[in-house]
Amino acid sequence: MGLFKSLFGGRKEEAPVQKKFPIVCPHCFNKFSPDTVVFRAAHSKEEDEEYCLQEDAKLNEYLEHFGLEGSEELEAVLNPYLVPAENRHYVDDVLISMKDKYNVETKKRLCPYCHNDLPYSAGRAPSNIIAIIGASQVGKSVYMASLINTLENVTAHNFEAACLPINSDTSRRFRSQYLDPLFLQNSLIESTQKERKQEPFIFQFKFKDPSKAPLSLVFFDVAGEGMVEEEYLDLYANHIRNAEGILFLVDPLQLSTIRRKLILNQDDNGGDFTSQYQESRDVVVTLAEHFIGSQEDGKTSIPTAVVITKSDMLTSLAEEEGEYIKPNSNVFENYIHKGYFNLNEYENINGEVQRFLEKVDLAFKDAVEVHFKNVSYFAVSSLGQNPVEGKLEKVIQPMRIDEPFLWLLYKLGYISSNEGVK
């Protein structure tokens, strides 16, 4: 019968649909099986040593990494495999809740390494994480705020999705530290100090189409100096190593040719700020040392968008006969991708920024392409203007701010391109 089916067109068996996925914790970035999660008890009992309020050593160790005070005594952490199998509840083969020995249910799943809460989608969808990296003074904080604001209010709607903070604490911290100062007070965000470590900001880009898994955006607002100091980078190595996509931010003033040119163009010197800017090549070297060097052929296949920030600064260079960039460059024209990723716009920008880098810092471009297999180039302006003495003179109008992120979505298969679209 089996031979008859194979010879005469019997129905082909479909491959089983994968129901559970490895989890990458969006807090500590350790990778583990969904079967190894633990749970936070939903109650406490003073008379029971196992279920009384108690210190959580793993959570406090995690908080200490970020200079934060340890948590107060919390409900117990429970091992789901110490209760009968019928007390464990699975959805799509993923353990999502358990009943303790008192028959009280808990749905609060924790990372087994750091005991932070896990997203509800953990294990039921791929843990796709986007990492933002860059050296000191590159403007990661401003870019992060402008990008999230654009994703929430423009991009998500254009792609039938929503961009949401992972919890109310993330929403509160992000609004008070980033969105309100920038968009309500019209003031720049203070540069992150190396001593001011803090937990990552976690958002989910979730599509209305239930067949598409949510994408986690995890932003470490780490001081740029940490990207070139070995002991500091160790805190964030897992973040980068387990990312599905990388946004590598580069300030024009990190490119020595541009830095010298812009200083000469200033009416007043304004102080020697040359030493404030680190070479982006140093970041590439540090990344290679910590995790890229251990990859096959010393390269990483993680899609990486190299993003020139503060593109509005380049207008003065464009006015000088277009030595480095043309006045009519697409870099200075905003474009909004809607419904699909426009490959024509992308290829124009990618080509222009590549040619720009070849003129101003060929060594950096070569260093990137030695270590990154899948790289593209972009230019954005988080504010659409050059601040004066820390103040913004006009309404913020970001320029191509979400384009690198959308390219990553396209590379990861979340959105389609305009190929075949008339």
Side-chain angles (χ1 to χ4, degrees), residues 24-70:
V24 176
C25 175
H27 299 274
C28 69
F29 306 105
N30 279 298
K31 191 172 186 178
F32 51 90
S33 165
D35 295 326
T36 61
V37 300
V38 292
F39 288 82
R40 179 81 62 194
H43 66 101
S44 63
K45 290 189 178 294
E46 293 183 10
E47 66 277 10
D48 188 330
E49 183 176 338
E50 184 183 355
Y51 281 80
C52 66
L53 293 177
Q54 52 198 265
E55 177 190 359
D56 189 331
K58 286 190 176 182
L59 179 59
N60 286 343
E61 182 181 357
Y62 168 85
L63 294 172
E64 186 178 343
H65 279 311
F66 299 97
L68 302 173
E69 292 184 7

Side-chain angles (χ1 to χ4, degrees), residues 64-329:
E64 186 178 343
H65 279 311
F66 299 97
L68 302 173
E69 292 184 7
S71 63
E72 298 178 355
E73 291 186 332
L74 298 170
E75 289 78 11
V77 174
L78 306 178
N79 183 339
Y81 296 99
L82 296 182
V83 299
E86 59 266 25
N87 283 24
R88 300 191 292 270
H89 179 54
Y90 294 80
V91 173
D92 295 332
D93 292 339
V94 177
L95 179 62
I96 64 166
S97 67
M98 64 168 283
K99 289 183 179 179
D100 62 26
K101 69 179 185 180
Y102 292 98
N103 208 36
V104 177
E105 185 181 41
T106 172
K107 297 180 179 179
K108 186 168 285 190
R109 295 185 300 163
L110 309 178
C111 168
Y113 292 94
C114 68
H115 287 182
N116 275 289
D117 293 356
L118 292 171
Y120 71 89
S121 60
R124 300 169 67 183
S127 294
N128 291 332
I129 290 174
I130 302 297
I132 293 183
I133 61 175
S136 179
Q137 303 290 329
V138 77
K140 291 187 296 297
S141 303
V142 175
Y143 177 78
M144 182 172 66
S146 187
L147 175 62
I148 288 295
N149 187 66
T150 299
L151 293 182
E152 288 180 332
N153 295 293
V154 180
T155 312
H157 177 74
N158 288 342
F159 286 86
E160 295 292 316
C163 182
L164 304 166
I166 196 171
N167 54 39
S168 57
D169 178 63
T170 296
S171 179
R172 177 190 56 77
R173 286 192 297 128
F174 195 72
R175 181 162 298 282
S176 64
Q177 296 176 26
Y178 294 87
L179 294 185
D180 287 352
L182 198 58
F183 291 94
L184 293 183
Q185 301 165 16
N186 236 36
S187 298
L188 287 184
I189 300 166
E190 291 184 8
S191 178
T192 307
Q193 300 302 312
K194 186 170 58 173
E195 294 76 15
R196 201 193 84 198
K197 304 166 191 171
Q198 59 180 301
E199 293 181 274
F201 291 95
I202 306 170
F203 292 81
Q204 280 201 326
F205 197 82
K206 186 176 181 181
F207 292 88
K208 296 177 183 178
D209 180 352
S211 67
K212 294 182 178 180
L215 181 79
S216 295
L217 290 81
V218 183
F219 299 123
F220 263 118
D221 189 17
V222 50
E225 292 86 347
M227 294 304 299
V228 291
E229 294 181 15
E230 183 173 351
E231 69 281 1
Y232 196 51
L233 184 60
D234 283 342
L235 286 173
Y236 308 94
N238 273 351
H239 173 218
I240 303 168
R241 187 180 298 113
N242 286 317
E244 292 296 320
I246 296 174
L247 294 168
F248 187 167
L249 307 188
V250 181
D251 189 309
L253 290 172
Q254 288 179 267
L255 310 170
S256 56
T257 302
I258 299 302
R259 187 163 63 241
R260 288 193 297 269
K261 197 78 173 179
L262 291 176
I263 291 173
L264 290 174
N265 289 349
Q266 287 184 324
D267 293 332
D268 58 285
N269 193 357
D272 180 15
F273 61 86
T274 303
S275 60
Q276 297 177 20
Y277 293 91
Q278 298 166 319
E279 298 293 330
S280 290
R281 280 167 292 178
D282 293 341
V283 179
V284 178
V285 170
T286 307
L287 292 174
E289 180 182 356
H290 279 78
F291 85 98
I292 298 177
S294 62
Q295 307 296 307
E296 185 178 354
D297 300 325
K299 292 186 175 185
T300 177
S301 58
I302 300 173
T304 301
V306 174
V307 184
I308 305 297
T309 63
K310 307 176 187 176
S311 61
D312 50 274
M313 293 180 63
L314 303 178
T315 53
S316 63
L317 297 178
E319 293 168 358
E320 297 184 355
E321 307 298 330
E323 181 181 359
Y324 298 111
I325 193 166
K326 301 294 183 183
N328 62 347
S329 168

